[in-house]
Amino acid sequence: MQRHLDTTLEGAQPGPVDRTEVYRRLNFPRGADHPVRRPYTAVNMVSTVDGKVVAGGPGTTRLIGSDTDHALMSRIELQADCVLLGAGLIRADDPPYPRLSAERQRQREARGLRPQPLWAIVSGAGEFPRLPQALAAGGRTGTALFTTAAMTSTRRETLEEHTRIYVCGTQRVEVPQMGAILRDELGVGSMICLGGPGLNATLIEAGAVDELFLTLAPKLQGGSNVPTLLEGRAYPPEGLPLLELLSLYSEGSELYLRYRLPASAHR
Ligand SMILES: NC(=O)c1ccc[n+]([C@@H]2O[C@H](COP(=O)([O-])OP(=O)(O)OC[C@H]3O[C@@H](n4cnc5c(N)ncnc54)[C@H](OP(=O)(O)O)[C@@H]3O)[C@@H](O)[C@H]2O)c1
């Protein structure tokens, strides 16, 4: 791989680097307090060059990025206490909860992280066509579901057998409530949000995202109305938030970008 820029590593020079070195020690801060008390949060997404983050039907998102992208994504995820997932991502791709070796759990603990990551899902009412794999494998200790008062009591009873449920709003999950629960009740200092675009909008609009990891896959998707990494309300043209590039790596024509989000992304 090639390093083009890395402002997070002292003295890092551009040039060839071993793949194992990229995103090896992210050292995320444990918590953020602006604009509300919450875990330090990074969003991690892959898009085509034309900005699309959905490739086709269920299970096809993984076709956007290369094997290197998948490996880097896992490496980023494993350096945080919690992985946050939107219900759309769960319904489309149903990602499995990771089983970590005892050695890997020890390494995480030595770095001040939860030995097993918490996988937390955000959904208005917890409607899934089948029990998400993450809840089936992670269970009540490894997972949580943030939802609203719109969840029926029958649904709640079913899901509570598999996960802990937190009601954080009437119509929408409110980020300040969710952030405080994650940080204070569940001990989450750092969190990686795997999207999708709807959940990214919820967090970014609330000013609750500190960083964005973006893989730009050298592919074109095309198509109208195919989601980009950020749905929700548009920023006014004279007020587009300006991101700061923290690092840039590449392998072949695929780019791995890490940005810091400005406070102006909050609205
Ligand atoms: N390329 C990538 O890196 C990447 C990453 C992730 C996902 N994706 C793709 O993105 C597509 C899914 O897009 P999406 O926007 O539907 O995904 P999403 O962000 O995973 O899910 C949106 C859903 O999350 C829940 N949600 C988000 N904010 C909420 C809030 N404040 N309160 C209550 N619920 C909230 C709602 O669930 P309910 O509908 O249950 O109320 C909402 O419909 C899939 O095709 C997936 O493969 C791509």
Side-chain angles (χ1 to χ4, degrees), residues 103-153:
E103 174 58 18
R104 182 58 74 88
Q105 291 188 42
R106 269 195 298 278
Q107 286 169 359
R108 281 175 56 90
E109 223 166 3
R111 291 171 70 169
L113 298 170
R114 290 169 60 103
Q116 276 282 147
L118 177 77
W119 272 36
I121 298 174
V122 180
S123 167
E127 296 292 342
F128 302 106
R130 59 188 173 280
L131 183 68
Q133 287 194 74
L135 302 188
R140 287 179 59 86
T141 50
T143 66
L145 177 64
F146 290 91
T147 189
T148 72
M151 178 181 275
T152 63
S153 51

Side-chain angles (χ1 to χ4, degrees), residues 40-166:
Y40 186 86
T41 303
V43 166
N44 187 10
M45 297 289 288
V46 57
S47 97
T48 58
V49 168
D50 52 335
K52 309 290 171 56
V53 300
V54 174
T60 55
T61 312
R62 62 181 179 79
L63 300 176
I64 301 176
S66 65
D67 289 347
T68 300
D69 168 56
H70 301 158
L72 291 180
M73 190 170 132
S74 309
R75 194 173 300 159
I76 295 167
E77 266 174 58
L78 287 173
Q79 295 183 60
D81 285 315
C82 172
V83 168
L84 192 72
L85 309 106
L89 168 62
I90 295 286
R91 287 191 281 260
D93 299 326
D94 199 12
Y97 182 80
R99 282 269 153 248
L100 303 187
S101 65
E103 174 58 18
R104 182 58 74 88
Q105 291 188 42
R106 269 195 298 278
Q107 286 169 359
R108 281 175 56 90
E109 223 166 3
R111 291 171 70 169
L113 298 170
R114 290 169 60 103
Q116 276 282 147
L118 177 77
W119 272 36
I121 298 174
V122 180
S123 167
E127 296 292 342
F128 302 106
R130 59 188 173 280
L131 183 68
Q133 287 194 74
L135 302 188
R140 287 179 59 86
T141 50
T143 66
L145 177 64
F146 290 91
T147 189
T148 72
M151 178 181 275
T152 63
S153 51
T154 323
R155 193 85 204 115
R156 184 173 179 139
E157 268 168 39
T158 308
L159 288 173
E160 257 178 346
E161 287 175 24
H162 305 279
T163 188
R164 281 170 287 178
I165 296 180
Y166 297 93

